[in-house]
Amino acid sequence: MNALVALCHFCELHGPRTLFCTEAVHPPSPSPPQPGSAIPGDRDREADREGEGLTMRANSSATQRADMCEGCRSLPASHPGFVSVDSETGIRYLSHQHPRQPQLFSVVRQACVRSLSCEVCPGREGPIFFGDEQHGFVFSHTFFIKDSLARGFQRWYSIVVVAMDRIYLINSWPFLLRHLRQTIQSLQDTALKVFDNEQCVCPQRAVRMNSAFSPAVFPHQRSGNAARSLTSLTQHPNLWASLHSSFSWLLKACGSRLTEKLLEGAPTEDTLVLIERQTEQEEERSGWDGAEGGGSNPQPSQSESVQPKDFQFDDGRQEDLLGPKFKSLRHLRQVLGANDFRQLAWHVLMGNQVIWRGADPGLIQSAFNVLKALLPVGCVRAVLYSPHYEEAYRCNFLALTHVSSSEFSMLVDVLNVERGCVNPVSDDDILSLYHEFFLNVSFSWFVFLSGPTLLNKIEVALSNENLSVEVVSLCLLCLKEEWMNKVKVLFKFSKVDGRGKEDTQKVLALLGATGPGEEDNVRLLKFWMTGLSKLYKSHLMTAVRGGERTLSQ
Amino acid sequence: MPTLLQKLFSKRAVGNDNGNARDCSTAAEQCWASSEFDLAQIRLIVYQDCERRGRQVLFDSKAIHKLDASEPTADETKTPPNRSGACHIGSQASEKDKPPTYQYTRPASDVNMLGEMMFGSVSMSYKGSTLKIHHIRSPPQLMVSKVFSTRFGSSTSGSTNTLQDSFESMSQTFPSHTSSIAHSNPVDMPSRGHSEDGDSGIARSASLSSLLATPLPSPGSSFSSGCASSYQRRWLRSQATSLQHGPMPRWNTEEMFSLSDESCSSNPAMIRRKKIAISIIISLPEREEENHNFQEFFFSHFPLFESHMNKLKTAIERAMIVCRRIAESSQRVQVYLCRVMEALGEFRMTVWNLYMAPRISEPVWLSMISQSTERNLLCQRFLKEMSLLMDHGAKSQFLSALLTAVLTHHLAWVPTVMPSSLPPIKTACQKPASHTVDLLAKSHPYNPLWAQLGDLYGALGSPVRVCRTVVVGRRRELVQRVLYILSYFIRCSDLQEHVQPQGQMENPDNPTNPCSSQTTDPTPEKTFPPKPDPLKPTACVIEKALNPESVPGTFVEQNNDTLLTDTKSTNPSSSLESSTVRPECTEMGQECFGEDGDSVGGGLEHILANQSPLLHRVQFHIGSPRETENEGQAGGLSRAGCGRGLDRKLHQRLLTDIRRNESSDSALGDSDDEETSLQELYMATEQKEYELPLPSYQVESRASVNHFGRSLLGGYCPQYMPDFALHGISSDLGLKQCLMSDLEHTVLHPALDEPVAEALCIVADTDRLSVQVVTSQRRVCEGGRLGRDVMVSNLVYTLITSVLQLYALNIASDFCVMHLEDRLQELYFKSRSLAEYLRGQTRVHVKELGLALGIESSDIPLLAAVASTHSPYVAQILL
């Protein structure tokens, strides 16, 4: 808890005194929300850390000695104090006679004085809460400790818990009261036994009644008696170490008494697929030498083992490659022109294979990088730099270095790009270059009047120059998530529940997939289903079984 | 159908149709109140502490009796509250009736003692308000006091009629207050106030506190941290309330008791050395369990109690100001008593309601996240209720309007759909618990109850707005259906409590028991092997290090024990739940050697290797304390180069600290010698503390009962409840009376303990099928209506319809709810693109939004509110 605990004593000679104080020193924030958000208070903390080696100690000068009797002291001047470290959280609990942080000294002093000489508690023993914004807030519990030599045979103490969070401290009242009572009870019981022992040996009441009152001797006697420490009153040699442990525990337990269960949203399908691919790769790598069938894919092992990683996770790699690059979908659209881009995007969205053929791998990779943003991560299967054609089921993005095949759905030929261009080419250059590109489009059934709803919306966003690239990419994200949610419903409906055609039509209608472009929409949904994470699919399958059980009950 | 709802709500509340108070009270039994809570259990005392006149009781509800002949009961507090008549407490109603006459008798005998407790035996010169809570053992009572400095306007300085004069004369001459009043001109003391403040620390940290009050921009466009806004709110709270920054007065420090109409800022204030204390004394139930329950409720709900006390204080202020204008003494007293009694009556009712009102016993969201096994059943119930309601209000789009309003203002749902970047741990698609927030709570504890309250009121946006929802309607079942559905959308975190198991407290090894080994034998020297004195660690370490023979055999064993337990407790996964570890401190405080170093060999070497921290210490502690002292100074000299600057800085700070302290509480200056020597006390040394293991102990985790998620989602209540995040009432009569003043009060004294820019209330009328939003910012609404109507967001409408259509197509309800969450997540994504769109815009083109982002004008208020939780700048652009 963000608080400190102190044991205070009302010394008969010196008034209210802080005896022992345990404070919690928190580690720097795990990850502050923003680098710029360092609050001014942080500087204070810096300063504190600078002064880490500083310890408050009682001065040994004669005057100090006179001001501090045994009763006002816990640890001797030379004692370095105690520390306990909570290794899980990094919080350090420090105990000294006075708080080590200078700004807390006066806070504790104030709490001590108020608890023992200002605030009034009926019966003088018991809990009080008091405080204000300037001096902090205090939960205080006052109590007596038996002392056969003290006036009235008892001494007055208090344990104070000081915090700045008023509400938190008040919320913790029942907890603090319960546990401080126990600590106090333990001290009192121990002291009572010592008291009884001492009274057996030498009954003070009798001594006092029998000794003649002499004004000359009285003050001397009293001051001599006033100097008993709490260690002596409890005959507990390790009292301070024990109190340190008790107080540290109290601070920790009070801070973790209530915990929040705070949920965040489920990860997106893209995140899940990325995680799954990563785990697969790790497993693959660890089981590399294991017997892999290999019959189905004899040659492309080198391309396959490299490409998913490079493509999915290592976008930075394209920075290494020189030459012109596509920077965004909008850029690609500008270069290709609206019509060609629409064709290309249509094929990408439908899951048709898109082959880019050319001599500049950097350019092609940048094109794939912007194009893959059109699809859910799970739908992207790309092969880069393949010397020969790959089947469509293996990849929907293929970069060919050599012209070799005639089996394709969409072929983009990149011509005339100078290789190894040393100077980076600017946007304008790439545009001018394109005029020399030759786009070889050859597919049999190129008729789409309406196109999928998704594509139309993307085009609106791309064509609106008012929207920044960031807005467009967020807009694309929205659209993809929206359609992934439809994909989920369709998957559940058709694959998991296996509903009939009529029902499916109803679902398509409620998903807003019917109407113009319905055929394309359905095609898109079906293709995107392949991009669902395994986790999600298996969850739905098991949920069905679970759900059926509930229904049958 | 009713049977299902009856299950969902407390049975008694459903059965209770006649508005009988007794029935209602028992309905809440499930929640907190195990017995009737009597209004007379709440007593109000207003006390004044004046430098010149001493202390005077200005009001004691125990000493006031009603004289009205029409009301046979002399003390109205004895009658149990009448639910149906409860709204008569409101001010308008009582104005119609003839105001009752009160008799003021001599204050009870305990007031002197209570006065001592309120003001303390030494008066403080601090000017702000002070809060105190006392526990009185017999008879068991809790006393909450707020002590204020007073503030007079210039107009009253000339006034001759003061309330205390009236009271003085009245209590002396009672029952005939006909005698003339001794007039006196209060003398204005020279002001101490304003000059004092300069160095009191308030100015210093004002900028800091205001900075903390305004949310910082959220982490860029990264989606990595799902709970970014929740995390940030909590992190800021832990920083704002951190002790490590020292006292940091926050936004409400200057709260005073005003004795004048005029605001102090406009004219030079005359601050007299006079304080006024307002105390609420609550008699605790006699039965132990009830007593315990009430206290748990009281302390966990304290911010609400405090907020109502502030309201009471404002009413008392008003009463004093108003009655001072009345020349005739007895009439003045009557007006004063009437007004204060009325305010007290309202306070009592509010507290009574807060404790006794029926609650939704199974709020959907909290139940779903706490009991995952019943998830399917809960989803089925929820969707069934929702589709029934959708059918009911189909024409008017009642549900869509209501959900638009709720999703716009109760924003805590947003973090629950922000996608997590972590793989799900348990079953797929189950929402993961926020890991970052969990870590934060451990290393930088903040108050989870505070976080929850903010969640429920939707205080996640920027600027901070708080919202409540009231469902009005004569048809109980319908209202309850609406409440039930909304309890899914009005979200908050669930709280767990970790306590020591029964019996653990009595265990002598309990860490809170510092004298565990001592309780059996107070003189251990005789029975134990010689133990090193903790007060002389130097000697003992040297002895051990140099004299292997002197180390008792048991010592090494114990030491091994320690090391074992230590490693156990350092295992992060075990943490608090790890098995009980004996608190080693008692016997071997100084023998615990911290981390296990590399063991070099057996015997002495082994021990030495393991006690490196101690060996390190030895270097600093050879010889007597005095010699150590010298050594320390010598060391300081050799390090002077680097140490001096730091020293000076520190001294300077100390001096300012002390000065500040002196100026602000001179009353406490009687034993300042501790402080005057402070500069000498700070010495730069490199001493390391003795490391002791942190005691660990067994905890039992249980669902916390006393938290706002359970208490502020109300059921069908007989009366309007100002605190509830959600509740239902039968008629909006009471609402019209007090809603505006309630909202204004919320802005002035938010229970949330942070500044609030606007307070809102969503009023859903199931009879008229209308949804309105009432705000503290707009007073006037046309046609005597409460607020403005809600525009249905198209996104919300399609969201609800598609979820319900799926449900109608017999798709598993569990899946439908998952789809609902997906659709809510879409709203979040849309809000991100809106925020990004607005970043570069000075003008919003609604058409462009619609075409490009699919955002219609009806969606903008909702999406802007959602966006303000992650992109605070949005509010500035749209306002």
Side-chain angles (χ1 to χ4, degrees), chain A residues 221-237:
Chain A
Q221 260 183 349
R222 287 254 296 118
S223 68
N225 294 347
R228 288 189 81 183
S229 68
L230 192 56
T231 324
S232 138
L233 294 180
T234 53
Q235 290 290 310
H236 186 337

Side-chain angles (χ1 to χ4, degrees), chain A residues 326 332 335-345 347 354-357 408 410-415 433-443 446:
Chain A
F326 293 108
L332 183 65
V335 173
L336 296 181
N339 279 335
D340 289 347
F341 176 82
R342 187 174 164 86
Q343 286 177 41
L344 181 63
H347 283 282
V354 171
I355 303 166
W356 280 60
R357 189 164 57 181
F408 46 76
M410 172 86 188
L411 176 66
V412 180
D413 269 330
V414 183
L415 306 175
L433 276 174
Y434 177 66
H435 294 299
E436 299 164 56
F437 286 7
F438 176 69
L439 187 79
N440 183 355
V441 187
S442 62
F443 48 117
F446 172 48

Side-chain angles (χ1 to χ4, degrees), chain A residues 157-170:
Chain A
Y157 290 86
S158 75
I159 296 178
V160 293
V161 182
V162 186
M164 295 314 296
D165 193 336
R166 181 170 58 99
I167 309 273
Y168 201 1
L169 196 56
I170 294 173

Side-chain angles (χ1 to χ4, degrees), chain A residues 294-319:
Chain A
S296 57
N297 49 348
Q299 320 104 318
S301 61
Q302 121 257 17
S303 65
E304 264 197 352
S305 65
V306 176
Q307 60 78 18
K309 180 170 177 275
D310 287 349
F311 196 68
Q312 299 300 340
F313 305 108
D314 202 10
D315 289 347
R317 203 187 132 163
Q318 66 164 301
E319 306 295 321

Side-chain angles (χ1 to χ4, degrees), chain B residues 586-786:
Chain B
T586 49
E587 290 107 9
M588 10 176 188
Q590 70 285 8
E591 294 158 9
C592 303
F593 295 132
E595 319 99 284
D596 193 352
D598 291 336
S599 65
V600 182
L604 176 62
E605 280 97 339
H606 178 75
I607 296 166
L608 286 177
N610 279 331
Q611 43 180 242
S612 46
L614 278 185
L615 284 178
H616 177 65
R617 271 174 239 135
V618 173
Q619 298 167 350
F620 293 91
H621 295 279
I622 295 167
S624 71
R626 186 171 284 272
E627 277 170 296
T628 316
E629 210 65 44
N630 294 335
E631 170 123 340
Q633 277 158 12
L637 279 176
S638 65
R639 283 188 302 272
C642 57
R644 205 177 286 150
L646 181 65
D647 265 2
R648 203 180 300 129
K649 234 197 296 180
L650 200 79
H651 281 186
Q652 216 151 16
R653 271 181 72 161
L654 275 169
L655 284 172
T656 41
D657 263 6
I658 292 161
R659 239 178 269 132
R660 178 151 47 101
N661 210 34
E662 277 169 357
S663 70
S664 56
D665 30 78
S666 46
L668 301 176
D670 53 342
S671 52
D672 269 344
D673 43 358
E674 226 178 10
E675 277 152 333
T676 46
S677 59
L678 232 178
Q679 330 160 26
E680 296 159 46
L681 293 184
Y682 279 98
M683 291 184 66
T685 62
E686 301 246 320
Q687 283 186 320
K688 261 196 159 179
E689 290 88 356
Y690 293 142
E691 182 157 353
L692 301 176
L694 193 64
S696 158
Y697 74 117
Q698 248 178 335
V699 284
E700 233 170 34
S701 299
R702 59 170 192 223
S704 172
V705 188
N706 279 296
H707 68 75
F708 295 117
R710 297 281 169 193
S711 64
L712 295 190
L713 298 176
Y716 191 63
C717 300
Q719 198 193 341
Y720 160 71
M721 310 283 299
D723 296 311
F724 285 10
L726 171 71
H727 75 293
I729 46 172
S730 60
S731 133
D732 63 358
L733 265 175
L735 201 63
K736 276 183 176 151
Q737 269 176 33
C738 44
L739 188 56
M740 273 323 293
S741 65
D742 263 357
L743 293 176
E744 279 160 15
H745 172 75
T746 305
V747 174
L748 288 174
H749 302 281
L752 200 54
D753 198 36
E754 69 178 317
V756 159
E758 187 181 4
L760 302 131
C761 184
I762 299 168
V763 182
D765 192 321
T766 55
D767 295 337
R768 283 172 231 153
L769 292 176
S770 71
V771 181
Q772 296 182 348
V773 176
V774 191
T775 157
S776 61
Q777 287 185 340
R778 251 155 282 163
R779 274 218 81 125
V780 196
C781 271
E782 68 285 351
R785 310 179 66 175
L786 272 168

Side-chain angles (χ1 to χ4, degrees), chain A residues 2 17 26-27 29 31 37 40-41 45 50 53-54 56-57 64 78-84 87-88 96 98 100 102-105 107 109-110 114 117-120 122 125 128-135 164-166 168 170-171 173 178-179 182-183 186 190 193 235-238 242 244-246 249 252 256-267 464 466-467 474-475 478 481-482 485 488-489 493 499 510 535-536 539, chain B residues 117 120-121 124 126 130-134 137 200 208 216 227 231 234-235 237 239 242-245 247 253 299 302 306 369 416 418 420 424 428 431-434 442-444 446-447 493-498 500 505 511-515 518-519 522 534 570 575-576 585-586 621 629 649-650 657 665 668 671 673-675 677-678 681-682 684-685 687-692 697 753 805 809-811 815 822 826 829 833 836 848 852:
Chain A
N2 218 326
R17 292 292 180 150
H26 298 266
S29 294
S31 55
S37 69
R45 214 193 303 143
E50 277 173 38
L54 297 175
M56 175 114 42
R57 307 195 308 174
Q64 273 299 306
S78 57
H79 195 286
F82 299 105
V83 65
S84 290
S87 53
E88 187 194 8
H96 301 91
H98 299 284
R100 264 194 5 161
Q103 73 271 28
L104 294 182
F105 185 92
V107 172
R109 172 92 191 115
Q110 171 97 11
R114 276 182 83 168
S117 54
C118 298
E119 301 304 332
V120 176
E125 285 187 300
I128 313 179
F129 172 92
F130 56 83
D132 53 64
E133 293 288 345
Q134 191 180 324
H135 304 101
M164 295 314 296
D165 193 336
R166 181 170 58 99
Y168 201 1
I170 294 173
N171 290 160
W173 169 298
R178 202 159 55 231
H179 290 97
Q182 191 157 23
T183 305
S186 155
T190 315
K193 277 177 190 144
Q235 290 290 310
H236 186 337
N238 297 326
S242 304
H244 162 79
S245 294
S246 292
W249 177 88
K252 182 186 161 81
S256 51
R257 180 178 67 94
L258 287 175
T259 55
E260 268 192 295
K261 188 178 181 185
L262 185 72
L263 299 191
E264 44 188 29
N464 187 342
N466 265 346
L467 307 181
L474 276 167
C475 178
C478 284
E481 288 299 325
E482 187 186 327
N485 290 336
K488 287 176 180 178
V489 173
F493 208 74
R499 299 288 189 94
L510 85 86
L535 202 67
Y536 184 82
H539 171 75
Chain B
M117 288 155 66
S121 53
M124 307 279 296
Y126 176 63
T130 304
L131 174 68
K132 293 182 191 180
I133 304 174
H134 287 82
R137 239 179 268 177
S200 69
L208 175 57
L216 298 162
C227 275
Y231 176 87
R234 286 158 173 80
W235 181 80
R237 180 69 181 181
Q239 293 304 303
S242 168
L243 201 56
Q244 271 167 291
H245 302 137
T253 40
F299 287 112
F302 182 77
E306 192 189 26
I369 65 175
T416 68
M418 283 161 89
S420 160
K431 283 171 184 281
S434 173
K442 279 181 181 149
S443 59
H444 293 77
Y446 56 86
N447 188 357
S493 57
D494 196 20
L495 290 197
Q496 283 224 311
E497 197 174 0
H498 309 279
Q500 284 186 301
M505 289 279 288
T512 52
N513 181 354
C515 305
Q518 298 296 317
T519 42
T570 54
S575 71
L576 269 180
C585 47
T586 49
H621 295 279
E629 210 65 44
K649 234 197 296 180
L650 200 79
D657 263 6
D665 30 78
L668 301 176
S671 52
D673 43 358
E674 226 178 10
E675 277 152 333
S677 59
L678 232 178
L681 293 184
Y682 279 98
T685 62
Q687 283 186 320
K688 261 196 159 179
E689 290 88 356
Y690 293 142
E691 182 157 353
L692 301 176
Y697 74 117
D753 198 36
Q805 277 171 356
L809 281 170
N810 271 326
I811 285 194
F815 181 86
D822 284 344
E826 281 179 29
F829 282 129
S833 28
E836 191 57 49
E848 196 169 77

